[in-house]
Amino acid sequence: MADIDIPDHLIDLESAAWAEQQPRALTFAAADAVQAAYREHAASTRVSSLELEMAVKQAVRHPRSEPAV
């Protein structure tokens, strides 16, 4: 996966959604906010939204592990 610049607001949104998901309490509003932010950032930077989402989830859920190849 290429190096992707991840803005802090995406980390914050994904962290909040991940915190809700742990006790199986993820709300539609949180999930929708994260997806909308992914789409907006991907469109404005011409980065694949899938690669962006994968990079953000890697950073939030596995901050110390090596990125997936």
Side-chain angles (χ1 to χ4, degrees):
M1 186 178 331
D3 288 333
I4 296 176
D5 182 33
I6 304 171
D8 290 339
H9 75 278
L10 288 179
I11 296 291
D12 294 342
L13 284 169
E14 181 62 41
S15 295
W18 182 239
E20 285 186 13
Q21 192 171 352
Q22 294 308 295
R24 300 190 188 275
L26 180 63
T27 63
F28 177 79
D32 190 49
V34 174
Q35 290 302 313
Y38 287 151
R39 287 189 303 271
E40 181 179 314
H41 185 71
S44 69
T45 59
R46 297 188 178 218
V47 170
S48 160
S49 59
L50 177 60
E51 287 186 20
L52 175 62
E53 183 175 353
M54 288 171 45
V56 174
K57 286 183 177 184
Q58 176 77 27
V60 169
R61 299 177 185 190
H62 310 287
R64 294 189 183 103
S65 66
E66 291 297 315
V69 180

